[in-house]
Amino acid sequence: MLHVSMLADFALRKASDSLELITYFPCIFQSNLAEVDAVPNLFEVAPSSGVYPDEPINPNEPDEDNYEHLQHKYVIDQPETIDMVYQWREVLMQHENAYGGDERILMIETYSVPSYSNQMYGNKTTEGAQIPFNFNLITKVHQDTNAQGVVEAINAWMEAMPSGEEIGMLDVELSWEETVDPAACNSNSDIYELFSRDPCRTP
């Protein structure tokens, strides 16, 4: 695995070629797995008339030295970041197609809300990262979190995760012998397909 760290608040709007080169590093070192850190901070909102907007103050955190004192709405989770992840995956896929071998895996460190992080998986037309991190299990679960809190953290991610259909995956036809879904297995070989959820789970 090649571990790649990105600098936060780095002006990258004109540096896409350099970022694609970074993604090419694991290919150079013959690694099949690239982990890229601090991805939510790749881009910030473009300046207006040459001036970058100030981040609004968080009224719930009065300590000016605390990171949470500001609401970081301009320097993280920008749309360009999602597109950059897609470009990285494309670079890895091109290398895989050219040289063969095992699938190249892109792992993304993202501690953003699930609705944003899960866009990194890709969509119907574009492949994204295979493994965006689910940091909800760190940021939303603490020592005093009860079981319900853990369930809520898990569900928040799962409910935002794209289904196979949403990212262009197709159901796979499975024979009676290959079927493992209990609802289908409790039927018979003539009607099991009416009950089986295995085809949509296969991707």
Side-chain angles (χ1 to χ4, degrees):
M1 179 182 79
L2 183 72
H3 187 94
V4 181
S5 293
M6 303 302 300
L7 295 177
D9 300 328
F10 190 57
L12 297 171
R13 295 177 185 280
K14 297 182 180 180
S16 293
D17 290 344
S18 297
L19 286 177
E20 290 193 4
L21 180 60
I22 288 172
T23 314
Y24 201 75
F25 281 177
C27 305
I28 296 173
F29 291 106
Q30 298 182 341
S31 172
N32 293 327
L33 173 61
E35 177 196 343
V36 189
D37 286 350
V39 171
N41 301 90
L42 284 180
F43 292 91
E44 62 182 289
V45 170
S48 176
S49 301
V51 178
Y52 286 93
D54 290 332
E55 295 184 305
I57 293 175
N58 177 6
N60 297 319
E61 179 48 70
D63 184 357
E64 295 183 0
D65 293 328
N66 191 311
Y67 177 78
E68 300 297 335
H69 178 65
L70 298 176
Q71 300 177 43
H72 304 287
K73 58 187 296 184
Y74 299 131
V75 298
I76 62 172
D77 296 348
Q78 300 305 310
E80 296 92 336
T81 301
I82 301 296
D83 182 66
M84 193 74 257
V85 171
Y86 295 169
Q87 291 183 50
W88 288 340
R89 178 66 189 282
E90 177 63 25
V91 171
L92 295 180
M93 291 171 62
Q94 289 175 359
H95 188 273
E96 180 183 336
N97 292 334
Y99 298 100
D102 295 332
E103 180 180 3
R104 310 306 194 268
I105 303 298
L106 180 58
M107 183 183 296
I108 297 295
E109 181 196 57
T110 170
Y111 27 83
S112 306
V113 296
S115 59
Y116 181 84
S117 296
N118 277 295
Q119 295 180 57
M120 296 183 184
Y121 279 113
N123 53 49
K124 287 185 177 181
T125 60
T126 307
E127 297 276 2
Q130 293 99 322
I131 310 176
F133 288 177
N134 178 8
F135 272 20
N136 263 15
L137 296 178
I138 297 176
T139 59
K140 301 298 183 182
V141 176
H142 309 284
Q143 184 175 356
D144 57 350
T145 302
N146 59 23
Q148 182 59 38
V150 175
V151 170
E152 290 174 357
I154 294 172
N155 286 343
W157 181 269
M158 297 302 295
E159 290 169 2
M161 181 180 288
S163 67
E165 183 179 69
E166 289 171 328
I167 56 177
M169 291 181 169
L170 301 177
D171 291 354
V172 175
E173 291 188 13
L174 298 172
S175 68
W176 166 250
E177 290 74 17
E178 295 171 313
T179 297
V180 297
D181 187 339
C185 292
N186 287 332
S187 62
N188 61 61
S189 59
D190 294 326
I191 61 172
Y192 75 96
E193 291 177 304
L194 298 175
F195 306 99
S196 180
R197 294 161 292 183
D198 288 341
C200 63
R201 293 169 170 167
T202 302

